[in-house]
Amino acid sequence: MEPEPYDLVITNGVCVTATDVAALDVAVKDEKIVLLAPSGSLGSAKAKRMLDAEGGYVMPGGIDCHVHLQEPSMFGKGSSADSYETGTRSAIAGGNTTIVTFAPQQKHLDSVLQALETTHQLAKDNCYCDYGFHLLVSNPCAKALSEFKQLASHEGVTSLKMLRDDEILSVLLTARQNRILTMIHAENGDVLNWLTDQLEAAKLFAPKYHSNSRPPVLESEATNRAIALSSLIANTPILLVHVSDPEAALRIRQAQTAGQPIFAETCPQYLFLTRDDLDKPGFEGAKCVCSPPPRNKEDQLAIWRGLKNGTFTVLSSDHCPFRFDDAETGKKTCVTHDHPVGRFRYIPNGLPGIETRLPLALSANKLALTKFVEVTSTNAAKLYGLYPQKGSIIPGVSDADLVVFYPEGRLGKTEVSNSMLHHDCDYTPYEGRVVDNWPRYTILRGNVVWDRDGGGIVGPKGYGKFVKRGQSSLAGVWDTLDENGAFDLEAL
């Protein structure tokens, strides 16, 4: 009796994981990786589909765990340009197979479970890639805190993000008790409000002054404070998101060296943009307004060093798109007759970037291939409770989630343009940037969903499914909880 054919075989590829680079063929059956074999040895295997990687890199699919899609307007008038359909469409075209977005609890709601259910309804049957959710906590009242246990034990949601300093301690403690990872946006809100008032009093309204209102010291001070509060609550693990400032990165590194469970994320905007990109004629600089703002060239080099030396656990996109030429829900909501270049304090903060994250970072040639996979896929899977189902290519264990790049030199120098992207935003901040590689195929659970030369988006909407996550398996995240035990007021 002949064995059943594989569903998919990829031959002649160079497989790259977070630890190894090897010339291997890959066989897929029933949505799982089932075999890795010496390169070329599966060329005659029976398979429903064969792909010849022609020497291109075969990597675990990108995992982008900082993505904003279809969120309600929570700050000013801006609202997301991307729905779950368009955002996940863009994700697979950029080599991503799993994303984690935010389920935002609005301030007037007393339930995080209600916010989660609302977000489920937006995503259900609309996604091209697999997905999970973080809770975005805006009202950590007693009822909301009591629901944290159910989030982790039944809903498969094991991470959350905080918005307000004055409520962080109750959230940290309750998250610790339920082994939920707390994500923190570290900027000093009181100081940035004061600086914004001062700038407006001086009639400095243009987009470039967004950078002046949020100088690096606001980030480094708030980072230090977050680390201190983590240590207060018996060394509760935290992830500092979208870090842009070298001084903040240094403080994170010091805490890590001291054995504290402090983890950090950075984003492409802090590797490829600078504050000069906000200083464009008229309102053009608003395209690059995000928080924290991009810094300078020297700071970019420091952030790259942090990725290389492990200060940063993950490289995420922080995809948060607003249409530029949109006065109703986009960047131009703050442009008026009295303020023709807008008012920077009201510019919706955020950039599109889910599709360009992998090609930009790979083409920069600044990270070892194994480190690239580590920070764009494997560490995210471990940190957010998806590993080894996601983020690896372990036979019999891992989902067949893969991205196949072109052989080196095949694509040539390619300029990024918004016309080639698949989001629902009318610009990319990386317009004109040159890359030398791009995902050729994206494979989700064994099915080719992106074929750049053979139809583009070829996977069906709705094939992406919700993935329940467990607690973090990344080394060092929950070790301190096991070592220190419960938070003890008498031990302070």
Side-chain angles (χ1 to χ4, degrees):
M1 182 175 176
E2 291 190 8
E4 290 187 13
Y6 297 116
D7 295 330
L8 173 69
V9 167
I10 304 170
T11 61
N12 302 315
V14 177
C15 287
V16 185
T17 69
T19 55
D20 297 295
V21 181
L24 297 169
D25 290 353
V26 182
V28 174
K29 181 72 175 174
D30 297 328
E31 301 191 349
K32 294 287 186 181
I33 304 289
V34 293
L35 180 65
L36 300 177
S39 180
S41 63
L42 295 181
S44 59
K46 290 188 176 181
K48 295 176 183 177
R49 181 166 184 178
M50 300 283 292
L51 289 181
D52 188 348
E54 300 180 289
Y57 299 130
V58 180
M59 300 177 174
I63 301 176
D64 193 345
C65 291
H66 195 150
V67 178
H68 298 270
L69 298 176
Q70 213 164 335
E71 294 180 7
S73 179
M74 298 180 74
F75 304 99
K77 297 179 181 178
S79 58
S80 174
D82 270 324
S83 64
Y84 275 86
E85 176 182 351
T86 62
T88 58
R89 180 182 70 195
S90 187
I92 62 170
N96 302 285
T97 50
T98 303
I99 64 171
V100 184
T101 67
F102 291 90
Q105 176 203 25
Q106 297 194 68
K107 188 66 178 175
H108 67 276
L109 294 178
D110 63 358
S111 170
V112 292
L113 293 176
Q114 182 180 342
L116 180 62
E117 177 57 28
T118 298
T119 309
H120 267 299
Q121 293 306 311
L122 294 173
K124 185 180 179 182
D125 299 326
N126 285 317
C127 293
Y128 286 89
C129 67
D130 287 352
Y131 61 94
F133 301 128
H134 311 289
L135 249 297
L136 186 58
V137 180
S138 298
N139 180 15
C141 59
K143 179 181 177 182
L145 292 173
S146 73
E147 293 174 341
F148 280 20
K149 183 176 182 179
Q150 185 172 340
L151 285 178
S153 63
H154 292 91
E155 304 297 335
V157 175
T158 53
S159 51
L160 58 84
K161 185 179 177 184
M162 276 298 300
L163 293 176
R164 292 170 58 95
D165 278 0
D166 58 349
E167 296 165 337
I168 192 172
L169 293 176
S170 294
V171 170
L172 274 177
L173 178 57
T174 310
R176 173 190 178 81
Q177 292 165 344
N178 293 283
R179 298 202 175 200
I180 294 173
L181 180 66
T182 301
M183 307 160 71
I184 296 176
H185 175 150
E187 285 186 294
N188 188 313
D190 291 335
V191 177
L192 79 85
N193 287 336
W194 183 85
L195 286 171
T196 298
D197 290 341
Q198 297 298 308
L199 288 161
E200 287 214 326
K203 302 199 180 305
L204 302 174
F205 301 109
K208 69 177 182 179
Y209 294 110
H210 175 74
S211 295
N212 300 69
S213 72
R214 297 169 182 261
V217 68
L218 272 66
E219 186 179 353
S220 58
E221 184 276 333
T223 297
N224 185 69
R225 184 156 31 93
I227 292 169
L229 295 178
S230 161
S231 68
L232 176 68
I233 308 298
N235 275 332
T236 293
I238 60 172
L239 173 76
L240 291 147
V241 296
H242 46 53
V243 175
S244 71
D245 172 46
E247 288 299 316
L250 177 61
R251 181 65 187 92
I252 290 164
R253 188 69 170 169
Q254 291 169 341
Q256 293 167 342
T257 302
Q260 292 180 254
I262 307 300
F263 303 88
E265 164 202 87
T266 194
C267 308
Q269 48 267 44
Y270 308 120
L271 302 172
F272 300 101
L273 302 177
T274 70
R275 63 183 296 163
D276 291 341
D277 290 297
L278 279 70
D279 188 9
K280 301 291 185 183
F283 191 62
E284 193 73 12
K287 291 179 176 179
C288 296
V289 166
C290 59
S291 294
R295 305 301 183 183
N296 59 41
K297 287 285 188 183
E298 291 74 21
D299 295 337
Q300 287 180 350
L301 297 175
I303 300 303
W304 278 113
R305 283 196 299 272
L307 281 167
K308 292 175 185 177
N309 67 25
T311 301
F312 297 113
T313 304
V314 287
L315 174 66
S316 310
S317 69
D318 192 10
H319 179 79
C320 187
F322 300 94
R323 294 184 191 91
F324 177 70
D325 196 17
D326 184 335
E328 298 296 323
T329 61
K331 294 281 188 177
K332 289 187 176 178
T333 53
C334 65
V335 175
T336 65
H337 176 75
D338 293 332
H339 297 93
V341 295
R343 293 175 68 182
F344 71 85
R345 79 185 306 161
Y346 295 124
I347 297 173
N349 277 220
L351 315 173
I354 196 169
E355 192 169 343
T356 49
R357 178 181 71 119
L358 296 184
L360 283 171
L362 182 64
S363 297
N365 294 312
K366 291 182 180 292
L367 299 176
L369 290 172
T370 51
K371 176 62 73 171
F372 173 81
V373 171
E374 179 184 309
V375 298
T376 61
S377 181
T378 305
N379 273 358
K382 291 179 177 180
L383 183 67
Y384 291 111
L386 292 162
Y387 188 85
Q389 178 184 355
K390 306 289 187 183
S392 191
I393 51 175
I394 302 172
V397 175
S398 301
D399 285 354
D401 293 354
L402 301 165
V403 56
V404 182
F405 285 91
Y406 285 90
E408 285 194 37
R410 173 72 61 83
L411 192 63
K413 300 297 183 183
T414 300
E415 284 194 6
V416 176
S417 69
N418 198 57
S419 62
M420 66 190 283
L421 303 180
H422 296 77
H423 56 209
D424 198 19
C425 195
D426 58 359
Y427 79 98
T428 170
Y430 307 109
E431 188 79 31
R433 305 259 170 179
V434 175
V435 297
D436 59 17
N437 216 325
W438 200 274
R440 187 179 187 181
Y441 304 105
T442 303
I443 299 158
L444 175 62
R445 287 181 275 113
N447 287 288
V448 177
V449 293
W450 165 253
D451 181 345
R452 190 171 185 268
D453 300 319
I457 302 290
V458 293
K461 183 180 79 168
Y463 180 60
K465 66 180 183 181
F466 176 72
V467 183
K468 286 189 174 184
R469 296 182 289 119
Q471 71 182 48
S472 176
S473 64
L474 189 70
V477 176
W478 294 113
D479 303 26
T480 52
L481 187 148
D482 296 328
E483 293 167 4
N484 297 347
F487 173 64
D488 183 0
L489 284 169
E490 294 191 11
L492 296 178

